[in-house]
Amino acid sequence: MDPEISILYCSPCPQGIPQRRVRVQLSPMYQRRSLPPPLEEQILLDWEERQRKQPWVFNGAKFRLHSVMSEGDKANQKEEADQNKERIKNESREGGETESDMDEGGGLTLHLALTSYRDFLGTNWSGEARALQERGAQEHGDTEAYLAHPLGVGAALQCKDGCFVLLRRSHRVGEAAGLLDVPGGHPEPKAVAPNIPEEELSLEVLKPDLVIGELFYSILAEIRDEVNLPLSTLSEPLLLGIARNHISAGRPSAEFYVRCSLTSEEVKERYLQGGLEAHESTEIIFLDREELLTVENSEMWKELCPSAKGCVKLYLLVREQQS
C-alpha cells in the first residue's frame, strides 16, 4: 500500500453500497477532544493570523468522522438490531427501507460529529499533527482524539465510453496544487439545516437521514461544479469505501463510483466551458479502464494526490478484484 494512504473501510459489495444501505449516528461522543491550555487557544490565534493574511478564507462547518461500523461487526449488534427493527417499521410506513433491503448485506453506519475548517488547519494540517497524534495516544489511548478529521468525498467518475476522469489541481488551491485528483470536496452541514446560521449549527438540529442524503448528494454537486456536468447525466453514487490521507494526518474521505451518460469527448467539451468551480483545476485527463488497472505501477501514480490514490485503490479493490 502506498504510504500516503490507507483503507479504513472497503465495500464488501462488488458494485459498491447504495445510499439506502448507509446509516449515520450523530453524537457528542464523536467530537474532537479539546486540547489543554494554551494549545487550544493557539488554534484560534493561528486562525486569526491566517485571516489577516488571507481575508477571503472562512471557517465552514464540516462533518467529523470518528469511526465506522459495518453490518457484520459484532459490537452493539443486538442494540442495533432492535433499533433497526423499530426504524424499519417506521420507514416502511413512510415508503422507506424494508426488511428485504436489510437482508441485502453490506450495510454501514458512520459515526459523525461536527468540526470545522479552522480546526482542520490547526490539527490535521498543522506542523504539530504528529505530536497531537502522540499526545492523543498517551492521554486517551486514541491517536485521533485531538484531530479534526473532516470527512471529504471523491468519485471514480466513468464516462459512457469507459474512460475515467482526473483533474489537475490549480495552484490556487490550498492542498496538492498541481497534482492530479478525482472530482470531490466535502458534504456540508449547513446544507442539512439551511435556515440556521452556520455558527449556530449543532448536532441537535441535524437529522441523520438528511445527513446521509447530503453525503451522497455532495459528490454529485462537486462533479457538477468542478466538471460542469448536469446532474441529469450522473448515476446514483455507490459508496466504494473510506480512505485515509496520511499527508494530512489520516483525514478520511468517502469514495464513490459514479457513471456519466456522456462520452469523454462530450465531458471534455463541458469542462472547457467552465463550471462554478472551474478555478480549482487547470486540465482534464482521461484514463481508459486498462490504464486505470495498471496506474499504480505507472509514472502517473506519482502525480496523483493522496485523495485520488485512495479513490483509485478502492475502485480497484471493489469494482475490479471482487467482480
Side-chain angles (χ1 to χ4, degrees):
M1 183 77 71
D2 189 302
E4 292 186 351
I5 61 170
S6 62
I7 304 302
L8 174 63
Y9 175 80
C10 181
S11 166
C13 306
Q15 301 303 312
I17 303 175
Q19 179 174 331
R20 68 178 181 275
R21 301 295 301 127
V22 180
R23 293 183 286 279
V24 161
Q25 287 183 0
L26 302 168
S27 171
M29 293 188 303
Y30 306 141
Q31 298 281 96
R32 177 181 74 86
R33 288 182 178 270
S34 294
L35 285 157
L39 298 177
E40 191 69 29
E41 289 75 7
Q42 190 60 47
I43 293 176
L44 299 177
L45 293 174
D46 290 346
W47 172 253
E48 291 170 357
E49 179 64 21
R50 178 180 289 269
Q51 284 190 308
R52 280 193 289 271
K53 294 178 179 179
Q54 300 173 315
W56 57 86
V57 301
F58 66 95
N59 182 29
K62 305 296 177 189
F63 292 109
R64 180 181 192 263
L65 181 67
H66 175 274
S67 53
V68 302
M69 185 169 65
S70 66
E71 200 169 81
D73 289 342
K74 297 299 182 182
N76 299 322
Q77 195 170 38
K78 183 179 186 304
E79 180 183 351
E80 277 222 323
D82 293 340
Q83 292 174 351
N84 288 340
K85 287 179 182 178
E86 185 62 31
R87 184 174 56 80
I88 289 168
K89 291 178 183 177
N90 295 334
E91 291 184 355
S92 295
R93 288 194 291 267
E94 299 168 3
E97 189 176 49
T98 66
E99 290 193 37
S100 60
D101 292 324
M102 292 295 293
D103 291 336
E104 291 178 17
L108 179 69
T109 299
L110 305 177
H111 299 152
L112 300 178
L114 287 173
T115 187
S116 67
Y117 181 59
R118 177 196 66 206
D119 285 4
F120 165 70
L121 292 178
T123 60
N124 290 70
W125 199 240
S126 78
E128 300 299 317
R130 178 66 62 86
L132 293 178
Q133 289 174 314
E134 293 173 354
R135 186 174 191 131
Q138 293 170 359
E139 298 178 355
H140 302 287
D142 179 6
T143 59
E144 300 167 7
Y146 292 125
L147 300 178
H149 276 345
L151 178 63
V153 293
L157 175 62
Q158 188 172 29
C159 305
K160 184 178 180 180
D161 53 13
C163 291
F164 289 84
V165 172
L166 292 175
L167 302 174
R168 188 170 299 280
R169 291 174 63 81
S170 164
H171 284 278
R172 298 175 61 186
V173 298
E175 296 178 59
L179 297 180
L180 294 174
D181 201 359
V182 295
H186 296 86
E188 303 291 349
K190 64 182 178 182
V192 180
N195 297 323
I196 297 176
E198 191 159 11
E199 62 274 11
E200 297 178 15
L201 283 173
S202 66
L203 296 177
E204 289 73 21
V205 302
L206 301 178
K207 295 183 179 180
D209 288 348
L210 296 181
V211 172
I212 297 168
E214 167 60 12
L215 174 65
F216 277 75
Y217 174 77
S218 65
I219 187 55
L220 298 179
E222 293 289 353
I223 294 171
R224 176 197 63 198
D225 296 344
E226 294 182 6
V227 194
N228 196 33
L229 300 181
L231 294 177
S232 60
T233 67
L234 303 177
S235 70
E236 173 191 354
L238 295 171
L239 180 64
L240 299 172
I242 298 172
R244 288 196 181 279
N245 176 349
H246 292 291
I247 298 299
S248 53
R251 181 181 58 173
S253 182
E255 307 296 347
F256 296 87
Y257 173 71
V258 178
R259 297 187 311 277
C260 178
S261 61
L262 303 178
T263 66
S264 54
E265 271 303 312
E266 291 170 324
V267 169
K268 184 176 182 179
E269 288 178 12
R270 298 280 315 183
Y271 172 80
L272 292 176
Q273 292 171 13
L276 289 175
E277 297 179 358
H279 63 282
E280 294 187 2
S281 66
T282 59
E283 181 184 9
I284 189 167
I285 294 172
F286 297 95
L287 295 181
D288 63 33
R289 179 174 171 273
E290 294 305 313
E291 290 173 318
L292 192 73
L293 290 177
T294 59
V295 70
E296 284 185 276
N297 300 316
S298 71
E299 285 299 310
M300 179 177 281
W301 186 253
K302 299 175 184 177
E303 291 193 74
L304 267 60
C305 64
S307 55
K309 289 178 178 179
C311 185
V312 170
K313 188 66 177 177
L314 279 166
Y315 172 82
L316 296 176
L317 288 171
V318 176
R319 301 277 304 186
E320 296 294 338
Q321 292 186 21
Q322 293 188 32
S323 61

